[in-house]
Amino acid sequence: MLISTLNLNNNAVIISSLSIILLTSFLLTRVTKKFKLPNVTAYIITGILIGPYVLNIIPKEIINGLDFVTDVALAFIAFGVGKYFKIAVLKQNGAKVFIITLFESLLAAVAVTLVMLFVFHLSVPFSIMLGAIGCATAPASTIMTIRQYGAKGRFVDTILQVTALDDVVSLVAFSICIAVAQALSSNTKLSLSVFLIPILTNVVAILIGIAMGFILNKIINDRRTQDNKLIITISIILAMTGVCSVLDISPLLSSMALGAAYINLSNNSHLFKQINNFTPPILTIFFVLSGMKLDVSSLASAGVIGVVYFVVRIIGKYAGAYLGALVCKSPDEIRNYLGLALIPQAGVSIGLAALGQRILPPEIGGLLSTIILSSSVLYELIGPASAKAALHLSKSIPDDKAKMVSSFSEAEAVSK
């Protein structure tokens, strides 16, 4: 451990570690941008490099002491997702979006679970938790691609709503799977209460989030300065995260409910932009920490399982989106291309993997984390390209931008 050998005091070690985490991750993004890779890929790779399994720069004590960052980062991510739950937009095609989301998320979860159980003969707790995590889709890279090409229209609206909703499905599924996994691990008899308790607990979390949304809307008004609005919002998000930590549940649902309640009550998206400007260092530390916890030595043992998970989840997502759109009689572009935009998986899934690692036995919990972290890098590598293809094929990109994309693709083909 490079830092600890310098005989620095504890505060100096913590501060120096945070500086190294942020600066190293920034420098690595300069490299990944050359290859047109998303920043999250650079962050995870940074964590792997400076973590205990490669260069061992950051002390393990610091890594363990920053565990709370996971919950805080997830809370901010979920708050941002909440803004996509505007009732006015959901009313237009909410039922169809909900059906498509159930198909694409649950089919991926079932496919992953069955393969893990019957092909690799892994334990039930591990298989169902990995399947539940497979539900989630990371909206960040897809949203960045949408913004980059100025894409808009019904296809884009469907993408945004589905990616927000399937995180909800994943969270509920994961909460139920945690209860089942804990019951199986402790040899507790499965009963209705085992399934109902986590669901009811998360319903309470959602109600708390909605209530705090009402309070946030009342407190924040035009007389507040921008700084005070930011301070109030962050304090409420952190308070809810603390309550969820006491209840031993993820802060995702409550924070998502908070964001949804606020956007519907205020119809003001400026606060979300403020939060987005505040959170990059927190999210950077979160992803770097996730990379630090990736046991590189376990990649070999997780190799085949990880590759199969990677492929099966993509097939499940695409097939589920196709079938859901077919049932809803959605337009051809949604039926044929929506699945391509649902490939990325980072943020929420990494957070859920971290939670699952705490619950499962160390060896199998490490395998779960390794599979999700390594596959997240791969998903983020191909996700933006898949999203761009989906937007281009669905004709959601304006004509001037579409010509640019088409010309770029032709130039690439010629160069090859």
Side-chain angles (χ1 to χ4, degrees), residues 55-111:
L55 298 178
N56 197 25
I57 294 175
I58 306 298
K60 278 191 176 181
E61 295 78 10
I62 300 299
I63 298 173
N64 295 333
L66 290 174
D67 255 356
F68 71 93
V69 174
T70 297
D71 289 337
V72 173
L74 289 176
F76 281 115
I77 291 172
F79 178 77
V81 171
K83 73 177 180 180
Y84 297 110
F85 286 88
K86 295 184 73 170
I87 294 175
V89 177
L90 291 174
K91 279 183 178 179
Q92 295 176 3
N93 56 352
K96 289 184 177 181
V97 168
F98 183 70
I99 292 172
I100 292 172
T101 302
L102 285 179
F103 268 87
E104 59 88 11
S105 58
L106 294 182
L107 187 58
V110 171

Tab-separated table of all heavy atoms in Angstrom, residues 55-111:
chain	number	residue	atom	x	y	z
A	55	LEU	N	-2.138	-2.516	-8.516
A	55	LEU	CA	-1.051	-1.671	-8.012
A	55	LEU	C	-1.102	-1.472	-6.497
A	55	LEU	O	-0.107	-1.059	-5.898
A	55	LEU	CB	-1.102	-0.300	-8.712
A	55	LEU	CG	-0.907	-0.328	-10.231
A	55	LEU	CD1	-1.026	1.073	-10.806
A	55	LEU	CD2	0.441	-0.942	-10.591
A	56	ASN	N	-2.266	-1.719	-5.904
A	56	ASN	CA	-2.409	-1.644	-4.447
A	56	ASN	C	-1.987	-0.273	-3.894
A	56	ASN	O	-1.266	-0.169	-2.913
A	56	ASN	CB	-1.584	-2.750	-3.780
A	56	ASN	CG	-2.002	-2.988	-2.335
A	56	ASN	OD1	-3.137	-2.701	-1.953
A	56	ASN	ND2	-1.102	-3.507	-1.537
A	57	ILE	N	-2.475	0.773	-4.531
A	57	ILE	CA	-2.116	2.135	-4.130
A	57	ILE	C	-2.965	2.620	-2.952
A	57	ILE	O	-2.460	3.273	-2.034
A	57	ILE	CB	-2.257	3.107	-5.322
A	57	ILE	CG1	-1.221	2.765	-6.400
A	57	ILE	CG2	-2.100	4.560	-4.871
A	57	ILE	CD1	-1.357	3.583	-7.662
A	58	ILE	N	-4.256	2.288	-2.986
A	58	ILE	CA	-5.174	2.769	-1.947
A	58	ILE	C	-5.311	1.709	-0.852
A	58	ILE	O	-5.597	0.541	-1.150
A	58	ILE	CB	-6.562	3.084	-2.534
A	58	ILE	CG1	-6.444	4.043	-3.712
A	58	ILE	CG2	-7.482	3.657	-1.467
A	58	ILE	CD1	-5.866	5.394	-3.369
A	59	PRO	N	-5.144	2.091	0.419
A	59	PRO	CA	-5.274	1.115	1.522
A	59	PRO	C	-6.675	0.515	1.587
A	59	PRO	O	-7.669	1.189	1.307
A	59	PRO	CB	-4.987	1.957	2.773
A	59	PRO	CG	-4.239	3.151	2.286
A	59	PRO	CD	-4.747	3.423	0.904
A	60	LYS	N	-6.745	-0.758	1.950
A	60	LYS	CA	-8.041	-1.437	2.056
A	60	LYS	C	-8.938	-0.769	3.083
A	60	LYS	O	-10.170	-0.761	2.955
A	60	LYS	CB	-7.843	-2.906	2.419
A	60	LYS	CG	-7.515	-3.799	1.230
A	60	LYS	CD	-7.586	-5.265	1.613
A	60	LYS	CE	-7.365	-6.158	0.399
A	60	LYS	NZ	-7.458	-7.599	0.734
A	61	GLU	N	-8.337	-0.214	4.142
A	61	GLU	CA	-9.126	0.445	5.181
A	61	GLU	C	-9.910	1.617	4.602
A	61	GLU	O	-11.055	1.874	4.986
A	61	GLU	CB	-8.221	0.944	6.312
A	61	GLU	CG	-7.510	-0.154	7.099
A	61	GLU	CD	-6.295	-0.713	6.365
A	61	GLU	OE1	-5.889	-0.110	5.335
A	61	GLU	OE2	-5.761	-1.746	6.808
A	62	ILE	N	-9.296	2.336	3.677
A	62	ILE	CA	-9.965	3.473	3.039
A	62	ILE	C	-11.106	2.976	2.154
A	62	ILE	O	-12.206	3.538	2.148
A	62	ILE	CB	-8.966	4.294	2.201
A	62	ILE	CG1	-7.850	4.829	3.083
A	62	ILE	CG2	-9.683	5.441	1.494
A	62	ILE	CD1	-8.296	5.749	4.184
A	63	ILE	N	-10.845	1.907	1.410
A	63	ILE	CA	-11.878	1.339	0.525
A	63	ILE	C	-13.088	0.902	1.340
A	63	ILE	O	-14.238	1.212	0.993
A	63	ILE	CB	-11.305	0.149	-0.274
A	63	ILE	CG1	-10.154	0.619	-1.168
A	63	ILE	CG2	-12.396	-0.508	-1.120
A	63	ILE	CD1	-9.413	-0.500	-1.873
A	64	ASN	N	-12.841	0.197	2.444
A	64	ASN	CA	-13.943	-0.254	3.301
A	64	ASN	C	-14.652	0.923	3.960
A	64	ASN	O	-15.874	0.904	4.139
A	64	ASN	CB	-13.411	-1.202	4.376
A	64	ASN	CG	-12.863	-2.488	3.784
A	64	ASN	OD1	-13.284	-2.917	2.713
A	64	ASN	ND2	-11.906	-3.109	4.473
A	65	GLY	N	-13.898	1.962	4.304
A	65	GLY	CA	-14.491	3.123	4.956
A	65	GLY	C	-15.354	3.966	4.044
A	65	GLY	O	-16.152	4.784	4.513
A	66	LEU	N	-15.205	3.784	2.737
A	66	LEU	CA	-15.993	4.561	1.772
A	66	LEU	C	-17.214	3.790	1.277
A	66	LEU	O	-17.807	4.160	0.262
A	66	LEU	CB	-15.102	4.961	0.583
A	66	LEU	CG	-14.014	6.000	0.884
A	66	LEU	CD1	-13.113	6.187	-0.339
A	66	LEU	CD2	-14.627	7.335	1.282
A	67	ASP	N	-17.575	2.732	1.963
A	67	ASP	CA	-18.735	1.927	1.564
A	67	ASP	C	-20.017	2.741	1.466
A	67	ASP	O	-20.892	2.461	0.636
A	67	ASP	CB	-18.952	0.774	2.555
A	67	ASP	CG	-18.514	-0.556	1.956
A	67	ASP	OD1	-18.134	-0.563	0.773
A	67	ASP	OD2	-18.547	-1.568	2.667
A	68	PHE	N	-20.144	3.759	2.318
A	68	PHE	CA	-21.366	4.569	2.334
A	68	PHE	C	-21.573	5.311	1.015
A	68	PHE	O	-22.697	5.710	0.680
A	68	PHE	CB	-21.320	5.579	3.487
A	68	PHE	CG	-20.331	6.698	3.284
A	68	PHE	CD1	-20.730	7.894	2.702
A	68	PHE	CD2	-19.009	6.556	3.659
A	68	PHE	CE1	-19.828	8.921	2.503
A	68	PHE	CE2	-18.097	7.577	3.463
A	68	PHE	CZ	-18.505	8.771	2.885
A	69	VAL	N	-20.489	5.516	0.257
A	69	VAL	CA	-20.592	6.235	-1.020
A	69	VAL	C	-21.528	5.507	-1.975
A	69	VAL	O	-22.224	6.134	-2.782
A	69	VAL	CB	-19.188	6.409	-1.651
A	69	VAL	CG1	-19.300	7.030	-3.046
A	69	VAL	CG2	-18.316	7.291	-0.773
A	70	THR	N	-21.568	4.178	-1.883
A	70	THR	CA	-22.460	3.398	-2.751
A	70	THR	C	-23.908	3.819	-2.575
A	70	THR	O	-24.618	4.106	-3.550
A	70	THR	CB	-22.322	1.890	-2.447
A	70	THR	OG1	-20.996	1.470	-2.748
A	70	THR	CG2	-23.306	1.073	-3.287
A	71	ASP	N	-24.375	3.878	-1.329
A	71	ASP	CA	-25.758	4.265	-1.069
A	71	ASP	C	-26.033	5.704	-1.489
A	71	ASP	O	-27.090	6.014	-2.063
A	71	ASP	CB	-26.082	4.096	0.428
A	71	ASP	CG	-26.176	2.626	0.822
A	71	ASP	OD1	-26.422	1.794	-0.066
A	71	ASP	OD2	-25.996	2.313	2.010
A	72	VAL	N	-25.082	6.595	-1.199
A	72	VAL	CA	-25.264	8.013	-1.551
A	72	VAL	C	-25.326	8.183	-3.067
A	72	VAL	O	-26.198	8.880	-3.601
A	72	VAL	CB	-24.120	8.867	-0.959
A	72	VAL	CG1	-24.210	10.311	-1.462
A	72	VAL	CG2	-24.170	8.848	0.562
A	73	ALA	N	-24.409	7.537	-3.780
A	73	ALA	CA	-24.383	7.643	-5.241
A	73	ALA	C	-25.655	7.091	-5.863
A	73	ALA	O	-26.234	7.707	-6.774
A	73	ALA	CB	-23.158	6.899	-5.790
A	74	LEU	N	-26.117	5.944	-5.371
A	74	LEU	CA	-27.348	5.353	-5.894
A	74	LEU	C	-28.547	6.262	-5.649
A	74	LEU	O	-29.454	6.347	-6.478
A	74	LEU	CB	-27.586	3.981	-5.259
A	74	LEU	CG	-26.637	2.861	-5.710
A	74	LEU	CD1	-26.915	1.584	-4.936
A	74	LEU	CD2	-26.780	2.617	-7.198
A	75	ALA	N	-28.558	6.935	-4.510
A	75	ALA	CA	-29.654	7.848	-4.194
A	75	ALA	C	-29.709	8.994	-5.203
A	75	ALA	O	-30.784	9.365	-5.697
A	75	ALA	CB	-29.503	8.394	-2.779
A	76	PHE	N	-28.558	9.552	-5.534
A	76	PHE	CA	-28.520	10.650	-6.504
A	76	PHE	C	-28.880	10.167	-7.907
A	76	PHE	O	-29.570	10.868	-8.657
A	76	PHE	CB	-27.129	11.303	-6.509
A	76	PHE	CG	-26.911	12.261	-5.369
A	76	PHE	CD1	-25.967	11.991	-4.391
A	76	PHE	CD2	-27.646	13.431	-5.267
A	76	PHE	CE1	-25.761	12.867	-3.332
A	76	PHE	CE2	-27.450	14.317	-4.217
A	76	PHE	CZ	-26.508	14.039	-3.248
A	77	ILE	N	-28.410	8.971	-8.275
A	77	ILE	CA	-28.762	8.401	-9.580
A	77	ILE	C	-30.282	8.224	-9.678
A	77	ILE	O	-30.908	8.594	-10.679
A	77	ILE	CB	-28.057	7.046	-9.793
A	77	ILE	CG1	-26.551	7.249	-9.963
A	77	ILE	CG2	-28.632	6.323	-11.016
A	77	ILE	CD1	-25.751	5.960	-9.988
A	78	ALA	N	-30.870	7.668	-8.630
A	78	ALA	CA	-32.316	7.406	-8.635
A	78	ALA	C	-33.118	8.694	-8.666
A	78	ALA	O	-34.157	8.775	-9.332
A	78	ALA	CB	-32.692	6.576	-7.408
A	79	PHE	N	-32.659	9.704	-7.949
A	79	PHE	CA	-33.347	11.004	-7.962
A	79	PHE	C	-33.404	11.552	-9.386
A	79	PHE	O	-34.437	12.065	-9.828
A	79	PHE	CB	-32.632	11.999	-7.040
A	79	PHE	CG	-33.252	13.372	-7.028
A	79	PHE	CD1	-34.422	13.621	-6.326
A	79	PHE	CD2	-32.658	14.418	-7.720
A	79	PHE	CE1	-35.002	14.880	-6.314
A	79	PHE	CE2	-33.225	15.687	-7.717
A	79	PHE	CZ	-34.392	15.917	-7.004
A	80	GLY	N	-32.306	11.427	-10.120
A	80	GLY	CA	-32.277	11.887	-11.504
A	80	GLY	C	-33.198	11.092	-12.409
A	80	GLY	O	-33.834	11.648	-13.316
A	81	VAL	N	-33.314	9.783	-12.156
A	81	VAL	CA	-34.212	8.938	-12.954
A	81	VAL	C	-35.666	9.340	-12.732
A	81	VAL	O	-36.498	9.270	-13.642
A	81	VAL	CB	-34.004	7.450	-12.609
A	81	VAL	CG1	-35.069	6.576	-13.265
A	81	VAL	CG2	-32.613	6.992	-13.046
A	82	GLY	N	-35.973	9.811	-11.519
A	82	GLY	CA	-37.342	10.173	-11.179
A	82	GLY	C	-37.952	11.230	-12.070
A	82	GLY	O	-39.172	11.278	-12.260
A	83	LYS	N	-37.125	12.074	-12.677
A	83	LYS	CA	-37.678	13.162	-13.499
A	83	LYS	C	-38.345	12.650	-14.775
A	83	LYS	O	-39.092	13.391	-15.423
A	83	LYS	CB	-36.584	14.161	-13.851
A	83	LYS	CG	-35.592	13.696	-14.882
A	83	LYS	CD	-34.588	14.792	-15.202
A	83	LYS	CE	-33.573	14.318	-16.242
A	83	LYS	NZ	-32.587	15.351	-16.561
A	84	TYR	N	-38.081	11.397	-15.142
A	84	TYR	CA	-38.694	10.844	-16.349
A	84	TYR	C	-40.100	10.293	-16.096
A	84	TYR	O	-40.753	9.808	-17.017
A	84	TYR	CB	-37.800	9.748	-16.936
A	84	TYR	CG	-36.451	10.268	-17.377
A	84	TYR	CD1	-35.298	9.931	-16.695
A	84	TYR	CD2	-36.347	11.122	-18.468
A	84	TYR	CE1	-34.065	10.413	-17.083
A	84	TYR	CE2	-35.119	11.616	-18.863
A	84	TYR	CZ	-33.986	11.265	-18.166
A	84	TYR	OH	-32.760	11.754	-18.557
A	85	PHE	N	-40.568	10.384	-14.838
A	85	PHE	CA	-41.894	9.862	-14.500
A	85	PHE	C	-42.927	10.989	-14.445
A	85	PHE	O	-43.681	11.104	-13.491
A	85	PHE	CB	-41.852	9.125	-13.156
A	85	PHE	CG	-41.191	7.786	-13.228
A	85	PHE	CD1	-39.821	7.665	-13.058
A	85	PHE	CD2	-41.916	6.645	-13.492
A	85	PHE	CE1	-39.200	6.444	-13.138
A	85	PHE	CE2	-41.304	5.418	-13.580
A	85	PHE	CZ	-39.944	5.319	-13.399
A	86	LYS	N	-42.951	11.809	-15.460
A	86	LYS	CA	-43.961	12.868	-15.530
A	86	LYS	C	-45.297	12.241	-15.922
A	86	LYS	O	-45.397	11.535	-16.927
A	86	LYS	CB	-43.547	13.945	-16.528
A	86	LYS	CG	-42.293	14.716	-16.119
A	86	LYS	CD	-41.985	15.837	-17.076
A	86	LYS	CE	-42.966	16.993	-16.893
A	86	LYS	NZ	-42.543	18.185	-17.654
A	87	ILE	N	-46.294	12.499	-15.104
A	87	ILE	CA	-47.609	11.876	-15.308
A	87	ILE	C	-48.165	12.211	-16.683
A	87	ILE	O	-48.764	11.354	-17.363
A	87	ILE	CB	-48.585	12.304	-14.197
A	87	ILE	CG1	-48.124	11.738	-12.850
A	87	ILE	CG2	-50.008	11.839	-14.514
A	87	ILE	CD1	-48.949	12.195	-11.671
A	88	ALA	N	-47.994	13.458	-17.113
A	88	ALA	CA	-48.537	13.880	-18.407
A	88	ALA	C	-47.964	13.046	-19.548
A	88	ALA	O	-48.679	12.681	-20.488
A	88	ALA	CB	-48.231	15.359	-18.635
A	89	VAL	N	-46.677	12.713	-19.447
A	89	VAL	CA	-46.030	11.910	-20.491
A	89	VAL	C	-46.450	10.450	-20.379
A	89	VAL	O	-46.731	9.786	-21.379
A	89	VAL	CB	-44.493	12.036	-20.393
A	89	VAL	CG1	-43.817	11.145	-21.427
A	89	VAL	CG2	-44.068	13.484	-20.587
A	90	LEU	N	-46.511	9.945	-19.139
A	90	LEU	CA	-46.870	8.543	-18.931
A	90	LEU	C	-48.292	8.241	-19.373
A	90	LEU	O	-48.585	7.127	-19.816
A	90	LEU	CB	-46.701	8.171	-17.451
A	90	LEU	CG	-45.260	8.114	-16.927
A	90	LEU	CD1	-45.254	7.873	-15.431
A	90	LEU	CD2	-44.471	7.025	-17.641
A	91	LYS	N	-49.191	9.223	-19.262
A	91	LYS	CA	-50.595	9.011	-19.650
A	91	LYS	C	-50.726	8.730	-21.140
A	91	LYS	O	-51.661	8.045	-21.569
A	91	LYS	CB	-51.430	10.235	-19.274
A	91	LYS	CG	-51.842	10.279	-17.808
A	91	LYS	CD	-52.732	11.484	-17.537
A	91	LYS	CE	-53.193	11.492	-16.083
A	91	LYS	NZ	-54.042	12.672	-15.776
A	92	GLN	N	-49.810	9.272	-21.922
A	92	GLN	CA	-49.910	9.117	-23.366
A	92	GLN	C	-49.783	7.658	-23.803
A	92	GLN	O	-50.534	7.182	-24.628
A	92	GLN	CB	-48.840	9.973	-24.056
A	92	GLN	CG	-49.046	11.464	-23.838
A	92	GLN	CD	-47.920	12.287	-24.438
A	92	GLN	OE1	-47.008	11.752	-25.067
A	92	GLN	NE2	-47.972	13.592	-24.249
A	93	ASN	N	-48.817	6.968	-23.257
A	93	ASN	CA	-48.637	5.554	-23.613
A	93	ASN	C	-48.101	4.749	-22.435
A	93	ASN	O	-47.318	3.818	-22.608
A	93	ASN	CB	-47.692	5.414	-24.817
A	93	ASN	CG	-46.353	6.083	-24.584
A	93	ASN	OD1	-46.163	6.777	-23.592
A	93	ASN	ND2	-45.433	5.871	-25.499
A	94	GLY	N	-48.531	5.134	-21.210
A	94	GLY	CA	-48.028	4.507	-19.992
A	94	GLY	C	-48.285	3.013	-19.909
A	94	GLY	O	-47.401	2.250	-19.524
A	95	ALA	N	-49.501	2.575	-20.280
A	95	ALA	CA	-49.843	1.152	-20.186
A	95	ALA	C	-48.954	0.319	-21.107
A	95	ALA	O	-48.436	-0.738	-20.717
A	95	ALA	CB	-51.312	0.946	-20.538
A	96	LYS	N	-48.757	0.806	-22.315
A	96	LYS	CA	-47.912	0.077	-23.271
A	96	LYS	C	-46.468	0.015	-22.784
A	96	LYS	O	-45.817	-1.033	-22.877
A	96	LYS	CB	-47.981	0.750	-24.651
A	96	LYS	CG	-49.316	0.582	-25.361
A	96	LYS	CD	-49.267	1.178	-26.751
A	96	LYS	CE	-50.585	0.942	-27.486
A	96	LYS	NZ	-50.546	1.502	-28.865
A	97	VAL	N	-45.984	1.133	-22.281
A	97	VAL	CA	-44.604	1.175	-21.786
A	97	VAL	C	-44.427	0.202	-20.627
A	97	VAL	O	-43.418	-0.499	-20.537
A	97	VAL	CB	-44.225	2.608	-21.352
A	97	VAL	CG1	-42.910	2.609	-20.571
A	97	VAL	CG2	-44.108	3.511	-22.565
A	98	PHE	N	-45.426	0.150	-19.746
A	98	PHE	CA	-45.350	-0.744	-18.592
A	98	PHE	C	-45.305	-2.202	-19.038
A	98	PHE	O	-44.508	-3.002	-18.524
A	98	PHE	CB	-46.549	-0.510	-17.679
A	98	PHE	CG	-46.522	-1.328	-16.423
A	98	PHE	CD1	-45.607	-1.065	-15.418
A	98	PHE	CD2	-47.414	-2.378	-16.241
A	98	PHE	CE1	-45.573	-1.827	-14.258
A	98	PHE	CE2	-47.396	-3.146	-15.087
A	98	PHE	CZ	-46.468	-2.864	-14.093
A	99	ILE	N	-46.118	-2.566	-20.009
A	99	ILE	CA	-46.151	-3.948	-20.515
A	99	ILE	C	-44.822	-4.300	-21.182
A	99	ILE	O	-44.248	-5.373	-20.945
A	99	ILE	CB	-47.324	-4.132	-21.500
A	99	ILE	CG1	-48.658	-4.037	-20.752
A	99	ILE	CG2	-47.218	-5.488	-22.214
A	99	ILE	CD1	-49.869	-4.009	-21.655
A	100	ILE	N	-44.320	-3.395	-22.023
A	100	ILE	CA	-43.040	-3.639	-22.696
A	100	ILE	C	-41.924	-3.802	-21.668
A	100	ILE	O	-41.067	-4.688	-21.784
A	100	ILE	CB	-42.710	-2.479	-23.665
A	100	ILE	CG1	-43.697	-2.468	-24.840
A	100	ILE	CG2	-41.277	-2.611	-24.190
A	100	ILE	CD1	-43.567	-1.258	-25.747
A	101	THR	N	-41.951	-2.965	-20.632
A	101	THR	CA	-40.922	-3.025	-19.591
A	101	THR	C	-40.950	-4.352	-18.856
A	101	THR	O	-39.902	-4.956	-18.596
A	101	THR	CB	-41.106	-1.869	-18.582
A	101	THR	OG1	-41.057	-0.626	-19.274
A	101	THR	CG2	-40.006	-1.889	-17.531
A	102	LEU	N	-42.150	-4.815	-18.515
A	102	LEU	CA	-42.266	-6.099	-17.829
A	102	LEU	C	-41.704	-7.236	-18.687
A	102	LEU	O	-40.984	-8.104	-18.193
A	102	LEU	CB	-43.729	-6.385	-17.475
A	102	LEU	CG	-44.330	-5.599	-16.308
A	102	LEU	CD1	-45.781	-5.993	-16.109
A	102	LEU	CD2	-43.544	-5.861	-15.018
A	103	PHE	N	-42.025	-7.209	-19.968
A	103	PHE	CA	-41.537	-8.258	-20.861
A	103	PHE	C	-40.014	-8.236	-20.970
A	103	PHE	O	-39.355	-9.262	-20.784
A	103	PHE	CB	-42.164	-8.102	-22.258
A	103	PHE	CG	-43.437	-8.875	-22.448
A	103	PHE	CD1	-44.660	-8.325	-22.087
A	103	PHE	CD2	-43.429	-10.150	-22.983
A	103	PHE	CE1	-45.845	-9.027	-22.256
A	103	PHE	CE2	-44.602	-10.868	-23.167
A	103	PHE	CZ	-45.818	-10.306	-22.795
A	104	GLU	N	-39.451	-7.044	-21.269
A	104	GLU	CA	-37.999	-6.996	-21.533
A	104	GLU	C	-37.169	-7.221	-20.270
A	104	GLU	O	-36.093	-7.808	-20.328
A	104	GLU	CB	-37.607	-5.674	-22.212
A	104	GLU	CG	-37.931	-4.404	-21.447
A	104	GLU	CD	-36.826	-3.989	-20.497
A	104	GLU	OE1	-35.729	-4.549	-20.570
A	104	GLU	OE2	-37.089	-3.116	-19.660
A	105	SER	N	-37.657	-6.765	-19.130
A	105	SER	CA	-36.880	-6.926	-17.901
A	105	SER	C	-37.019	-8.334	-17.324
A	105	SER	O	-36.017	-8.983	-16.988
A	105	SER	CB	-37.292	-5.878	-16.862
A	105	SER	OG	-38.680	-5.975	-16.579
A	106	LEU	N	-38.252	-8.828	-17.238
A	106	LEU	CA	-38.473	-10.131	-16.608
A	106	LEU	C	-38.010	-11.293	-17.481
A	106	LEU	O	-37.542	-12.313	-16.963
A	106	LEU	CB	-39.948	-10.297	-16.243
A	106	LEU	CG	-40.461	-9.330	-15.162
A	106	LEU	CD1	-41.921	-9.600	-14.842
A	106	LEU	CD2	-39.612	-9.428	-13.894
A	107	LEU	N	-38.115	-11.150	-18.797
A	107	LEU	CA	-37.630	-12.224	-19.670
A	107	LEU	C	-36.112	-12.352	-19.555
A	107	LEU	O	-35.573	-13.472	-19.514
A	107	LEU	CB	-38.028	-11.956	-21.122
A	107	LEU	CG	-37.722	-13.095	-22.114
A	107	LEU	CD1	-38.418	-14.383	-21.682
A	107	LEU	CD2	-38.165	-12.722	-23.524
A	108	ALA	N	-35.428	-11.219	-19.457
A	108	ALA	CA	-33.975	-11.260	-19.259
A	108	ALA	C	-33.642	-11.898	-17.920
A	108	ALA	O	-32.713	-12.721	-17.822
A	108	ALA	CB	-33.399	-9.834	-19.320
A	109	ALA	N	-34.403	-11.541	-16.871
A	109	ALA	CA	-34.161	-12.091	-15.534
A	109	ALA	C	-34.385	-13.600	-15.507
A	109	ALA	O	-33.564	-14.357	-14.952
A	109	ALA	CB	-35.073	-11.415	-14.517
A	110	VAL	N	-35.473	-14.048	-16.110
A	110	VAL	CA	-35.796	-15.483	-16.125
A	110	VAL	C	-34.748	-16.256	-16.928
A	110	VAL	O	-34.288	-17.332	-16.509
A	110	VAL	CB	-37.202	-15.715	-16.712
A	110	VAL	CG1	-37.456	-17.198	-16.944
A	110	VAL	CG2	-38.266	-15.146	-15.770
A	111	ALA	N	-34.347	-15.710	-18.064
A	111	ALA	CA	-33.356	-16.388	-18.908
A	111	ALA	C	-32.032	-16.551	-18.167
A	111	ALA	O	-31.438	-17.641	-18.160
A	111	ALA	CB	-33.147	-15.595	-20.202
